Amino acid sequence: MTDIHETDRDGLRELIRSCAFDLKLPLVRRDIDLLIQQSADEQWNLWRFTAELLRREKENRSENQRRHRIKNAGFPQLRYLN
């Protein structure tokens, strides 16, 4: 019985990664196992899991966009204000 559940879990994991790839959700594809483990450890419900998954993906995209804009700006040297 455990083998069937493990096979189901592996199949679902691959389905999630495949869908995340098609939907261009790199954080989901990369960190799904860690997020599932954290949700199990902290006993999140489905609503909390979904919200956290989407929040992290949004945060990741925002950071990538910020880096992309800085790179495309073509500044000769980066300077930060403290």
Side-chain angles (χ1 to χ4, degrees):
M1 200 74 149
T2 304
D3 293 335
I4 293 171
H5 292 295
E6 288 300 317
T7 302
D8 289 346
R9 194 176 306 173
D10 291 342
L12 288 172
R13 182 180 289 120
E14 289 311 309
L15 176 62
I16 290 168
R17 286 196 173 118
S18 175
C19 289
F21 179 81
D22 292 344
L23 293 170
K24 297 180 180 14
L25 301 170
L27 185 117
V28 173
R29 200 171 79 236
R30 185 186 69 222
D31 292 348
I32 192 65
D33 291 325
L34 295 172
L35 194 59
I36 289 171
Q37 186 60 52
Q38 183 179 1
S39 71
D41 293 345
E42 297 176 16
Q43 298 180 340
W44 294 350
N45 63 24
L46 184 57
W47 290 100
R48 171 75 193 275
F49 176 81
T50 304
E52 187 64 22
L53 179 72
L54 294 175
R55 184 195 66 76
R56 289 182 188 192
E57 188 65 48
K58 181 182 176 210
E59 201 173 81
N60 184 56
R61 283 185 184 205
S62 294
E63 179 60 25
N64 288 342
Q65 289 171 352
R66 186 189 70 78
R67 277 185 278 176
H68 185 71
R69 281 191 217 106
I70 290 171
K71 182 180 175 185
N72 285 342
F75 297 124
Q77 186 175 34
L78 293 180
R79 294 183 185 225
Y80 296 94
L81 302 174
N82 291 332

